[in-house]
Amino acid sequence: MATFDAFRFIDMISPRPLLSILGTKAVTKWMGTESFERAKEPKELVWIEGASHVDLYDKPEYVVPAVAKLSDFFQKTLA
């Protein structure tokens, strides 16, 4: 388990669009930024100011902008 790399093949997602939404206070943000850097285009990174990883689950002040971005992203990429 210690050697498991969930993002090892992230570059293979391309050419499908990738959206990463990260909280600026997330302890795990290093994983998100590292995986985003390894991913190929098209890709987009969105920061939710002040949010931790868990805040993005159920705190409206963080969930609302994340869902708005998801909605916009899906409308553009799945249209």
Side-chain angles (χ1 to χ4, degrees), residues 26-45:
V27 175
T28 56
K29 68 183 175 185
W30 68 271
M31 290 183 232
T33 54
E34 184 178 303
S35 65
F36 184 79
E37 289 170 5
R38 291 170 54 188
K40 295 179 182 174
E41 296 289 343
K43 61 184 181 177
E44 185 175 350
L45 176 61

Side-chain angles (χ1 to χ4, degrees), residues 20-74:
S20 291
I21 299 177
L22 305 172
T24 58
K25 293 189 177 180
V27 175
T28 56
K29 68 183 175 185
W30 68 271
M31 290 183 232
T33 54
E34 184 178 303
S35 65
F36 184 79
E37 289 170 5
R38 291 170 54 188
K40 295 179 182 174
E41 296 289 343
K43 61 184 181 177
E44 185 175 350
L45 176 61
V46 175
W47 290 100
I48 304 297
E49 187 63 40
S52 72
H53 180 89
V54 177
D55 290 338
L56 290 168
Y57 295 154
D58 61 1
K59 293 192 176 175
E61 63 268 33
Y62 306 121
V63 173
V64 169
V67 170
K69 183 58 199 173
L70 282 168
S71 176
D72 177 60
F73 180 78
F74 287 140

